[in-house]
Amino acid sequence: NASLIGILQHPDGTVLKQLQPPPRGPREQEFYNKVYDSDCCDSILLELREYLPKYFGVWSPPTAPNDTYLKLEDVTCKFNKPCIMDVKIGQKSYDPYASAEKIQQQVSKYPLMEEIGFLVLGMRVYHVSSDSYETQNQHYGRSLTKETVKDGISKFFHNGYCLRKDAIAASIQKIEKILEWFEGQKQLNFYASSLLFVYEGSCQATTVRLSDVTLAEKRGVPKGLLSGGDILEYNNNIHVLNSTENGKIEASVSKGLSKFYALHKKAYSKRHHSQLSLKVENLEQDNMWKSSTCITQEHLNGNVIPQLEKVFCHMPAEIKESANVEVRMIDFAHVFPSNTKDEGYIYGLKNLITVLKNILDN
């Protein structure tokens, strides 16, 4: 995952980003120093820290003391199968001091920047079915037009089975927070800067917080019998703990905390080898799980996978925001002091939100 964003992993859990040649590298270092200054008391900069990777100063290898690296938080480290996308934001990817030649070079790389306001620089998506990653480089993003950008971005949220609407919804919320910050500040303008998106690709770690839901007391169901009297053909690896009155079994997924429900890694791709453990409990709030999330009893026989896919992908809105998603601003070699709102960046954020909402509503 580090290669996507051109950085090295340090054994201490940080990442190392080599400082670019002047003036870009020193400018980026100065930006981080300013935002993370221990004496900083500017509320705008203090809030900005929430949207950046944490900064731990600079580092040089003992063997090459002249090589300087920024030491940054590894935003992907808490994820089991991190899906990563790097999106450049703004209408101009050249700064106000760029030469005519540099402007020409930047515009020709992606003439649609002005109109679309963002550019996908790369992505890496975990496909549950094949237990492998699909990657796209910057040529992929540059091939996207106004007509295809929606499908191009939705590829990042598709895991081979379904569209991860939970991750899209959580991403929108995080971008909206960054947009609010931009709407409220007139001191910095960002050019050729990116948003880094990360969400959890593996089923095992898809954790759903149900803290606001009372889970009914577990009452075991006699083996092979559902409350409606219907026989459920029991294969050993599916355990039904409880069902609702109407014969539908309601389920959600997680890491295996007792309150939640676990799916083991590779349950999809190697389901004849692995223990597919689907633990089901009755939720007192019937409306908590919409019918699209229900695994109906007749589908439990031999057709578990397409139904489980619905569990992941159509979670009720109440829990979507708990999806394991990170959206952070990165790449600050072209950040300049300003006395106006950063309209180009704001335009890009708003358009990106619009595209993501369109993907959700489809």
Side-chain angles (χ1 to χ4, degrees), residues 17 20 24 27-28 31 87-98 102-103 106 113-114 121 182 187-195 329-345:
K17 179 182 181 182
Q20 298 171 73
R24 292 174 299 163
R27 206 186 288 132
E28 182 162 36
F31 169 80
V87 183
K88 190 191 279 193
I89 306 289
Q91 289 178 283
K92 297 180 167 69
S93 52
Y94 52 88
D95 67 49
Y97 304 95
K102 177 71 176 172
I103 293 173
Q106 285 299 317
M113 199 74 186
E114 192 85 33
L121 292 178
F182 271 90
Q187 53 176 286
L188 293 171
N189 281 7
F190 295 73
Y191 302 90
S193 187
S194 286
L195 285 184
M329 297 168 62
I330 58 168
D331 294 341
F332 307 112
H334 303 273
V335 179
F336 293 89
S338 165
N339 47 24
T340 60
K341 274 203 220 178
D342 191 340
E343 295 298 352
Y345 200 107

Side-chain angles (χ1 to χ4, degrees), residues 194-212:
S194 286
L195 285 184
L196 185 70
F197 290 79
V198 191
Y199 73 87
E200 181 54 71
S202 83
C203 308
Q204 193 187 26
T206 306
T207 304
V208 176
R209 277 206 311 266
L210 290 175
S211 46
D212 53 340

Side-chain angles (χ1 to χ4, degrees), residues 75-132:
V75 181
T76 69
C77 72
K78 68 176 181 181
F79 296 88
N80 180 20
K81 298 287 185 188
C83 299
I84 305 168
M85 178 170 65
D86 182 337
V87 183
K88 190 191 279 193
I89 306 289
Q91 289 178 283
K92 297 180 167 69
S93 52
Y94 52 88
D95 67 49
Y97 304 95
S99 64
E101 188 187 1
K102 177 71 176 172
I103 293 173
Q104 178 51 44
Q105 179 217 3
Q106 285 299 317
V107 171
S108 64
K109 272 189 183 174
Y110 194 58
L112 293 170
M113 199 74 186
E114 192 85 33
E115 191 184 1
I116 295 177
F118 62 83
L119 166 63
V120 177
L121 292 178
M123 66 172 74
R124 179 172 180 271
V125 186
Y126 178 68
H127 280 194
V128 183
S129 42
S130 56
D131 186 25
S132 63

Side-chain angles (χ1 to χ4, degrees), residues 280-296:
V280 182
E281 288 175 297
N282 185 10
L283 302 178
E284 272 172 7
Q285 279 173 282
D286 272 343
N287 65 344
M288 193 55 201
W289 294 97
K290 311 277 186 288
S291 58
S292 65
T293 327
C294 293
I295 298 180
T296 54

